[in-house]
Amino acid sequence: MHPFRIAIPQAQLDDLHRRLDATRWPDELPGVGWDRGVPVGYLKELAEYWRTSFDWRAAEAQLNAYPQFVEEIDGAQVHFLHVTSPEPDATPLLLTHGWPGSVAEFLDVIGPLTDPRAHGGDPAEAFHLVIPSIPGYGFSTLTETGWDTPRIARAWAELMARLGYGKYIAQGGDAGAVISLELGRVDPEHVLGVHVNMLMTFPSGDPAEFEGLDERDQARLGKLARFDAELSGYMKLQQTRPQTLAYGLTDSPVGQLAWIVEKFLDWTGAKDLPEDAVDRDRLLTNVTIYWLTATAGSSAQFYYEGAAGVRAAASGAVPPPVTVPVGVAVFPDDIFVPIRRFADRDLPNITHWTEFEQGGHFAALEQPAALTGDIRAFARALRPVAVAA
């Protein structure tokens, strides 16, 4: 494994600033707000902040404060953070981001998870963290087709084996949730359990499934319908034409910014602006990683590779079973808010389920303490299994 350190040449930052300053802005219909996409006034102000006030070097230093490596696995150069706990008996925990995320999502949970003693927690609940970048995202390369969810899961299993972790917990949201569940399928001998903070649950088509659903679950069905009708355009485009999309996002930083920042309003508990839910500098750290690594197109390839699976799930197909324990953290403002009845149908091994009162899709950014506490609670129940193993 090769140590890795982020060191973006100043010329790339200067180029970003020049492009931001030279943006060709579109017109806008009056009074539409966010209904038709990101408002020009808001994006101009955010782009100016990105150009003049956001400090990439500070964000880079935050990431470089943790040990990073690259390792070739199945033809891909996989970038990952490997943060070991000061507690020698800590449980290995694999954290996987999603889209439009990155390893920077986890900056606020690394300390509490690895060193609970220093954060007022129980040292017996410490974790050794492995936080990889999905191939095609950030600093992990994508050089060939075929990197679908099962292949990524197998690569993660291989990564944990090379690190010497015989037993570990997998955790993730968005694509990270899908990958973590698949990891529970492909490596059950080593995965102690899977914890997710996003779970897609679709009706099977059987009318009996709708009988007795309460108002909350009816509202969740409505949210699923709204996603399909209004909010899923990005997904359909990335599933079908990721290369065409890549040209605009790779050439225009404002285009890349708008493509991502919209999701931090639609998918979170933000009231008026994305910054209501997620710190502005954290948001821009994430966007800047996509820009500097030119991975708008390669990250979208994950959707193309997984399109058939998404269609199958939406049509009611039940995935293969996950035999290891599964924990689910439900945040009410996520794009997908699972219905327990459907979840138990698809994942009969759910042993932990928590409903939170606030928070959305980017749980590690929006509600880091809540997410940390829920991971600990899930792992606590697995501890006798880990000891026995």
Coordinates of all heavy atoms in Angstrom, one line a residue, residues 1-5 67-73 76-84 94 129-132 155-165:
M1 N 0.9 -1.2 0.0 CA 0.0 0.0 0.0 C 0.9 1.2 0.0 O 1.9 1.3 0.7 CB -0.9 0.0 1.2 CG -1.9 -1.1 1.2 SD -3.1 -1.0 2.6 CE -4.1 -2.5 2.2
H2 N 0.5 2.2 -0.8 CA 1.3 3.4 -0.9 C 0.7 4.6 -0.1 O -0.5 4.9 -0.3 CB 1.5 3.8 -2.4 CG 2.0 2.7 -3.2 ND1 3.3 2.4 -3.2 CD2 1.4 1.9 -4.1 CE1 3.5 1.4 -4.1 NE2 2.4 1.1 -4.6
P3 N 1.4 5.2 0.7 CA 0.9 6.4 1.4 C 0.5 7.4 0.4 O 1.1 7.6 -0.7 CB 2.1 6.9 2.3 CG 2.9 5.6 2.5 CD 2.8 4.8 1.2
F4 N -0.5 8.2 0.7 CA -1.0 9.2 -0.2 C -1.3 10.5 0.5 O -1.7 10.5 1.7 CB -2.4 8.7 -0.8 CG -3.0 9.7 -1.8 CD1 -2.6 9.7 -3.1 CD2 -4.0 10.6 -1.3 CE1 -3.2 10.6 -4.0 CE2 -4.6 11.4 -2.2 CZ -4.2 11.4 -3.6
R5 N -1.0 11.6 -0.1 CA -1.2 12.9 0.5 C -1.8 13.8 -0.6 O -1.3 13.8 -1.7 CB 0.1 13.5 1.0 CG -0.1 14.8 1.8 CD 1.2 15.2 2.5 NE 1.1 16.4 3.2 CZ 0.6 16.5 4.4 NH1 0.2 15.4 5.1 NH2 0.5 17.7 5.0
P67 N -4.2 9.6 8.0 CA -3.4 8.7 7.1 C -4.3 8.3 5.9 O -5.4 7.8 6.1 CB -3.1 7.5 8.0 CG -3.2 8.0 9.4 CD -4.3 9.0 9.4
Q68 N -3.7 8.5 4.7 CA -4.3 8.1 3.5 C -3.4 7.2 2.7 O -2.2 7.3 2.8 CB -4.7 9.3 2.7 CG -5.7 10.3 3.4 CD -5.8 11.6 2.6 OE1 -6.4 11.6 1.5 NE2 -5.2 12.6 3.1
F69 N -4.0 6.3 1.9 CA -3.3 5.4 1.1 C -4.0 5.2 -0.3 O -5.2 5.5 -0.4 CB -3.2 4.0 1.8 CG -2.6 4.1 3.2 CD1 -3.3 4.4 4.3 CD2 -1.2 3.9 3.3 CE1 -2.8 4.5 5.5 CE2 -0.6 4.0 4.6 CZ -1.4 4.3 5.7
V70 N -3.2 4.6 -1.2 CA -3.8 4.1 -2.4 C -3.3 2.7 -2.6 O -2.2 2.3 -2.3 CB -3.5 4.9 -3.7 CG1 -4.2 6.3 -3.7 CG2 -2.0 5.1 -3.8
E71 N -4.2 1.8 -3.1 CA -4.0 0.4 -3.2 C -4.6 -0.1 -4.5 O -5.8 0.3 -4.8 CB -4.5 -0.4 -2.0 CG -4.4 -1.9 -2.2 CD -3.0 -2.5 -1.9 OE1 -2.1 -1.7 -2.0 OE2 -2.9 -3.7 -1.7
E72 N -3.9 -0.8 -5.3 CA -4.5 -1.3 -6.6 C -5.3 -2.6 -6.2 O -4.8 -3.5 -5.6 CB -3.4 -1.7 -7.6 CG -4.0 -2.2 -8.9 CD -3.0 -2.4 -10.0 OE1 -1.9 -1.8 -9.9 OE2 -3.3 -3.2 -10.9
I73 N -6.6 -2.5 -6.5 CA -7.5 -3.7 -6.3 C -8.3 -3.9 -7.6 O -9.0 -3.0 -8.0 CB -8.4 -3.4 -5.1 CG1 -7.6 -3.1 -3.8 CG2 -9.4 -4.6 -4.9 CD1 -8.5 -2.8 -2.6
A76 N -8.1 -1.1 -10.2 CA -8.4 0.3 -9.9 C -7.5 0.7 -8.8 O -7.1 -0.1 -7.9 CB -9.9 0.4 -9.4
Q77 N -7.1 2.0 -8.8 CA -6.3 2.5 -7.7 C -7.3 3.1 -6.7 O -8.0 4.1 -7.0 CB -5.4 3.7 -8.3 CG -4.2 3.2 -9.1 CD -3.2 2.4 -8.3 OE1 -3.0 2.7 -7.2 NE2 -2.6 1.4 -9.0
V78 N -7.4 2.4 -5.6 CA -8.4 2.8 -4.6 C -7.8 3.6 -3.5 O -6.8 3.2 -2.9 CB -9.0 1.5 -3.9 CG1 -10.0 1.9 -2.8 CG2 -9.8 0.7 -5.0
H79 N -8.3 4.8 -3.4 CA -7.9 5.8 -2.3 C -8.7 5.5 -1.1 O -9.9 5.3 -1.1 CB -8.0 7.2 -2.8 CG -8.0 8.2 -1.7 ND1 -9.2 8.8 -1.2 CD2 -7.0 8.8 -1.0 CE1 -8.9 9.7 -0.3 NE2 -7.6 9.7 -0.2
F80 N -8.0 5.6 0.1 CA -8.8 5.4 1.3 C -8.1 6.1 2.5 O -6.8 6.2 2.5 CB -9.1 4.0 1.6 CG -7.8 3.1 1.9 CD1 -7.4 2.8 3.1 CD2 -7.1 2.6 0.8 CE1 -6.3 2.0 3.3 CE2 -6.0 1.8 1.0 CZ -5.6 1.5 2.3
L81 N -8.9 6.5 3.5 CA -8.3 6.9 4.8 C -8.3 5.7 5.7 O -9.3 4.9 5.6 CB -9.2 8.0 5.4 CG -9.1 9.4 5.0 CD1 -9.5 9.6 3.5 CD2 -9.9 10.3 5.9
H82 N -7.3 5.5 6.5 CA -7.2 4.4 7.4 C -6.8 5.0 8.8 O -5.6 5.4 9.0 CB -6.2 3.4 7.0 CG -6.2 2.2 7.9 ND1 -5.1 1.3 8.0 CD2 -7.1 1.7 8.8 CE1 -5.3 0.3 8.8 NE2 -6.5 0.5 9.3
V83 N -7.8 5.2 9.6 CA -7.6 5.9 10.9 C -7.8 4.9 12.0 O -8.9 4.5 12.3 CB -8.6 7.1 11.0 CG1 -8.2 8.0 12.3 CG2 -8.6 8.0 9.8
T84 N -6.7 4.5 12.6 CA -6.8 3.6 13.7 C -7.0 4.2 15.0 O -6.6 5.4 15.3 CB -5.5 2.7 13.8 OG1 -4.4 3.6 14.0 CG2 -5.2 1.9 12.6
L94 N -16.0 0.0 8.3 CA -15.8 0.5 6.9 C -16.9 1.5 6.6 O -18.1 1.1 6.6 CB -15.8 -0.7 6.0 CG -15.8 -0.4 4.5 CD1 -14.4 0.2 4.1 CD2 -16.0 -1.7 3.7
L129 N -11.2 3.0 11.6 CA -11.9 3.4 10.5 C -11.2 3.2 9.2 O -10.0 3.5 9.0 CB -12.3 4.9 10.6 CG -13.2 5.3 11.7 CD1 -13.5 6.8 11.6 CD2 -14.5 4.4 11.7
V130 N -11.9 2.6 8.2 CA -11.4 2.5 6.8 C -12.4 3.3 6.0 O -13.6 2.9 6.0 CB -11.3 1.1 6.3 CG1 -10.8 1.0 4.9 CG2 -10.3 0.3 7.2
I131 N -12.0 4.3 5.3 CA -13.0 5.2 4.5 C -12.5 5.3 3.1 O -11.7 6.2 2.8 CB -13.0 6.6 5.2 CG1 -13.3 6.5 6.7 CG2 -14.1 7.4 4.5 CD1 -13.2 7.8 7.4
P132 N -13.0 4.4 2.2 CA -12.5 4.5 0.8 C -13.3 5.4 -0.1 O -14.5 5.7 0.2 CB -12.7 3.0 0.3 CG -13.8 2.5 1.2 CD -13.8 3.3 2.5
A155 N -14.3 -5.6 -3.9 CA -13.1 -4.8 -3.7 C -12.9 -4.4 -2.3 O -11.8 -4.4 -1.7 CB -13.0 -3.6 -4.7
W156 N -14.0 -4.0 -1.7 CA -14.0 -3.6 -0.3 C -13.6 -4.8 0.6 O -12.9 -4.6 1.6 CB -15.3 -3.0 0.2 CG -15.6 -1.6 -0.2 CD1 -16.7 -0.8 0.4 CD2 -15.0 -0.7 -1.1 NE1 -16.7 0.4 -0.2 CE2 -15.7 0.6 -1.1 CE3 -13.9 -0.8 -1.9 CZ2 -15.3 1.7 -1.8 CZ3 -13.5 0.3 -2.7 CH2 -14.2 1.5 -2.7
A157 N -14.2 -5.9 0.3 CA -13.8 -7.1 1.1 C -12.3 -7.4 1.0 O -11.7 -7.8 2.0 CB -14.7 -8.3 0.6
E158 N -11.8 -7.3 -0.2 CA -10.4 -7.5 -0.5 C -9.6 -6.5 0.3 O -8.5 -6.8 0.9 CB -10.1 -7.5 -2.0 CG -8.6 -7.6 -2.3 CD -8.0 -9.0 -1.9 OE1 -8.8 -9.9 -1.8 OE2 -6.8 -9.0 -1.8
L159 N -10.0 -5.2 0.3 CA -9.3 -4.2 1.0 C -9.2 -4.5 2.5 O -8.1 -4.4 3.1 CB -9.9 -2.8 0.8 CG -9.4 -1.7 1.6 CD1 -7.9 -1.4 1.3 CD2 -10.2 -0.4 1.3
M160 N -10.3 -4.9 3.1 CA -10.3 -5.2 4.5 C -9.5 -6.4 4.8 O -8.8 -6.4 5.9 CB -11.8 -5.4 5.0 CG -12.7 -4.2 4.9 SD -12.0 -2.7 5.8 CE -12.6 -3.1 7.4
A161 N -9.4 -7.4 3.9 CA -8.6 -8.6 4.1 C -7.1 -8.2 4.1 O -6.3 -8.6 4.9 CB -8.9 -9.6 3.1
R162 N -6.8 -7.3 3.1 CA -5.4 -6.9 3.1 C -4.9 -6.1 4.3 O -3.7 -6.1 4.6 CB -5.1 -6.1 1.8 CG -5.3 -6.9 0.5 CD -4.9 -6.1 -0.7 NE -5.3 -6.8 -2.0 CZ -5.1 -6.3 -3.2 NH1 -4.5 -5.1 -3.3 NH2 -5.5 -7.0 -4.3
L163 N -5.9 -5.4 4.9 CA -5.6 -4.6 6.1 C -5.5 -5.5 7.3 O -5.2 -5.0 8.4 CB -6.6 -3.5 6.3 CG -6.5 -2.3 5.3 CD1 -7.8 -1.4 5.4 CD2 -5.3 -1.5 5.5
G164 N -5.9 -6.7 7.2 CA -5.8 -7.7 8.3 C -7.0 -7.7 9.2 O -6.9 -8.2 10.3
Y165 N -8.1 -7.2 8.7 CA -9.3 -7.2 9.5 C -10.2 -8.4 9.3 O -10.8 -8.5 8.2 CB -10.1 -5.9 9.3 CG -9.4 -4.6 9.8 CD1 -9.3 -3.5 9.0 CD2 -8.9 -4.6 11.1 CE1 -8.7 -2.3 9.4 CE2 -8.2 -3.4 11.5 CZ -8.2 -2.3 10.7 OH -7.5 -1.2 11.2

